[in-house]
């Protein structure tokens, strides 16, 4: 079973199949209060979230991004980490009890910044796709099903590729790739052939310094669309898909300051697809922006919620098992992960902060110890460490 994915939509599960993708600068200190922001409700005590202290795993290079899936088909979640300083991806096989084995490194290219896990050749085995910032390429490593991978195949994209997302954009049953090119102001689309090979990239203009990317069917037409963060414009771009692998010209929406990360999900029970952007900023207040979807490709104005210093990436999950979507925010400047518990109506509570390592860049979500609760693995970009936090939230669903 593969790990957590970057987007959540019923339609998307059908069209994306096994796509699991798991979207950097400096900061100062964590802020706990701010004025002129959306009201933040506190959850009831029965559903307070809790994690054990982080346990660190040392890698062979700087931990820039982490993703999770069962890479060796043993029913236990494993980790894949992009090591920006060494041009490698580290594989840490899970023991199923919340611990992981020693990392094994695979060469991928120059300055890998993102890694996602999906099945690109339709053999039922998870593969890797990695964006190489310095090489202007995406590397695809086909899995062998035992935690090992074949040599990477590289595909040219735009300048300084950053984040990757997988989806079936032309509805042919094969997974495709969309990549943000931070140096080009574009998104590259690589259509998959279903064999692990991809057609030459076709690029679409977005804003300045795009980084984060996520996908979902925002207008309920059965075709996947894209949302992209433009860090220098304080906007996101919405690219509506035509269902044939092409996209309509961007529409832009305002979010907060310097947004690097974005995630798509349903924040209202039974609602349409929404998204949340991390507002990295360079001074407080540090926030995330939630934009609720109208179901026709448009979104309501942003509502902002407090996070830690310099929020960089957001992952979704139900961390207190109350049936509502919560946010896990990597606070790059705070050495913490902020959990914002969802109220089920599109609003979120105050942050619950958990200490991790230096410059946390993103978090991958999965049940690493098999207890039914979602745990976290965090890439600490200022070090060569992945921090693992095991969820020990009290189970009171029957009370």
């Amino acid at each position: 079973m593969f790990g957590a994915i970057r987007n959540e939509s019923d339609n998307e599960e059908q069209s994306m199949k096994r796509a699991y993708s798991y979207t950097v600068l400096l900061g100062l200190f964590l802020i706990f209060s701010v004025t002129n922001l959306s009201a933040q409700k506190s959850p009831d005590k029965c559903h307070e979230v809790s994690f054990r202290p982080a346990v660190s795993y040392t890698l062979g290079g700087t931990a820039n991004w982490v993703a999770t899936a069962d890479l060796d088909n043993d029913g236990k979640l494993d980790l894949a980490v992009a090591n920006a300083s060494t041009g490698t991806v580290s594989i840490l096989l899970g023991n199923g009890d919340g611990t992981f084995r020693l990392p094994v490194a695979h060469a991928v290219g120059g300055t890998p910044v993102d890694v996602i896990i999906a099945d690109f050749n339709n053999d039922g085995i998870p593969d890797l796709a990695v964006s190489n910032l310095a090489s202007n390429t995406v590397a695809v490593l086909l899995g062998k099903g035992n935690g090992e991978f074949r040599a990477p195949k590289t595909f040219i994209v735009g300048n300084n590729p950053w984040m990757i997302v997988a989806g079936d954009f032309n509805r042919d049953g094969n997974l495709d790739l969309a990549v943000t090119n931070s140096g080009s102001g574009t998104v590259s689309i690589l259509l998959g052939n279903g064999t692990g090979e991809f057609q030459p990239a076709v690029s679409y203009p977005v804003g300045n310094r795009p980084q984060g990317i996520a996908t979902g069917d925002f207008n309920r037409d059965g075709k996947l669309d894209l949302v992209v963060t433009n860090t220098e414009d304080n906007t996101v771009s919405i690219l509506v898909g035509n269902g044939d692998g092409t996209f309509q010209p961007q529409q832009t929406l305002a979010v907060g300051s310097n947004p690097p990360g974005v995630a798509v999900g349903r924040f209202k029970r039974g609602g349409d697809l929404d998204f949340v952007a991390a507002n990295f900023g360079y001074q407080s207040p540090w926030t995330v922006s939630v934009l609720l979807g109208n179901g026709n490709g448009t979104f309501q104005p942003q509502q902002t919620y407090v996070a830690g210093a310099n929020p960089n990436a957001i992952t979704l999950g139900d961390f207190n098992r109350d049936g509502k979507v919560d946010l896990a925010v990597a606070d790059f400047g705070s050495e913490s992960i902020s959990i914002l518990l969802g109220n089920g109506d599109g609003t979120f509570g105050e942050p619950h902060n958990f200490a991790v390592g230096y410059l946390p860049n993103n978090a991958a979500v999965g049940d690493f110890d098999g207890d039914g609760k979602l745990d976290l693995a965090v890439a600490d970009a200022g070090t060569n460490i992945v921090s693992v936090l095991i969820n020990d939230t009290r189970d009171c669903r029957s009370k």
Side-chain angles (χ1 to χ4, degrees):
M1 176 179 177
F2 294 176
I5 63 175
R6 202 171 281 167
N7 313 287
E8 300 179 353
S9 119
D10 296 337
N11 181 26
E12 189 177 340
E13 289 177 4
Q14 298 171 3
S15 57
M16 291 178 65
K17 306 187 311 182
R18 294 172 291 275
Y20 296 83
S21 42
Y22 295 100
T23 17
V24 196
L25 291 162
L26 290 174
L28 290 174
F29 56 88
L30 178 65
I31 183 163
F32 292 94
S33 61
V34 66
T35 58
N36 298 323
L37 294 171
S38 299
Q40 294 182 268
K41 305 175 186 177
S42 297
D44 61 89
K45 294 295 183 181
C46 187
H47 291 116
E48 291 287 346
V49 68
S50 176
F51 289 86
R52 299 175 199 166
V55 175
S56 298
Y57 293 84
T58 301
L59 308 172
T62 302
N64 201 75
W65 205 267
V66 59
T68 186
D70 180 6
L71 301 176
D72 58 353
N73 196 34
D74 65 352
K76 306 166 186 176
L77 288 180
D78 312 307
L79 302 178
V81 187
N83 305 313
S85 62
T86 56
T88 61
V89 166
S90 291
I91 303 300
L92 293 81
L93 297 180
N95 296 314
D97 59 0
T99 66
F100 294 85
R101 302 175 204 172
L102 293 176
V104 176
H106 299 263
V108 290
T111 318
V113 294
D114 186 21
V115 56
I116 67 169
I117 303 172
D119 181 8
F120 299 120
N121 60 347
N122 296 320
D123 64 354
I125 298 172
D127 311 311
L128 306 178
V130 183
S131 59
N132 296 314
L133 181 74
S135 303
N136 297 332
T137 61
V138 167
V140 174
L141 293 78
L142 298 180
K144 297 180 178 180
N146 59 357
E148 298 179 358
F149 293 85
R150 299 190 179 100
K153 300 178 181 179
T154 57
F155 303 90
I156 297 173
V157 289
N159 292 331
N160 307 129
W162 207 267
M163 296 285 107
I164 315 173
V165 70
D168 185 3
F169 302 128
N170 60 351
R171 301 186 293 177
D172 66 349
N174 302 317
L175 285 180
D176 312 309
L177 296 174
V179 187
T180 56
N181 302 308
S182 62
S184 305
T186 60
V187 169
S188 289
I189 304 298
L190 295 87
L191 297 180
N193 297 327
T195 62
E197 297 286 344
F198 292 84
Q199 299 177 30
V202 176
S203 294
Y204 294 83
V206 286
N208 291 309
R209 294 288 172 187
Q211 289 190 9
I213 188 168
T215 188
D217 181 7
F218 301 133
N219 58 356
R220 295 188 292 185
D221 65 352
K223 307 165 186 176
L224 288 179
D225 312 310
L226 298 173
V227 56
V228 177
T229 62
N230 304 308
T231 59
E232 290 189 356
D233 298 339
N234 303 336
T235 63
V236 297
S237 296
I238 304 295
L239 286 79
V240 174
N242 295 315
D244 58 0
T246 67
F247 291 84
Q248 299 176 27
Q250 66 169 328
Q251 307 167 42
T252 58
L253 301 170
V255 289
S257 177
N258 308 106
V262 64
V264 170
R266 299 182 191 276
F267 304 145
K268 296 181 296 182
R269 286 176 170 172
D272 297 302
L273 278 184
D274 315 306
F275 71 85
V276 56
N279 301 317
F280 190 94
Y282 294 101
Q283 60 184 8
S284 63
W286 289 292
T287 63
V288 298
S289 293
V290 173
L291 286 83
L292 300 179
N294 296 317
N296 59 0
T298 67
F299 294 83
Q300 299 174 30
Q302 64 173 320
Q303 299 294 319
T304 55
Y305 298 86
V306 174
N310 309 115
N312 188 70
I314 304 171
T315 313
L316 309 181
D318 181 6
F319 299 108
N320 60 349
R321 301 209 292 180
D322 65 351
K324 304 166 187 175
V325 176
D326 310 314
L327 310 179
V329 184
D331 301 320
F332 191 82
S334 298
E335 300 183 18
S336 67
I337 293 291
S338 294
I339 303 294
L340 282 70
L341 297 178
N343 296 312
D345 59 359
T347 66
F348 293 87
E350 297 177 355
H352 299 252
N353 303 297
F354 300 92
V356 289
Y358 184 49
L359 305 183
N361 214 26
N362 90 302
V365 174
D367 181 7
F368 301 136
D369 59 354
D371 66 350
K373 301 175 184 178
L374 291 179
D375 311 308
L376 297 170
V378 181
D380 299 320
T383 66
N384 59 343
I385 285 173
V386 167
S387 298
V388 174
L389 294 88
I390 298 300
N391 190 332
D392 64 356
T393 300
R394 183 167 62 99
D395 190 352
C396 54
R397 289 175 296 168
S398 61
K399 297 183 178 181

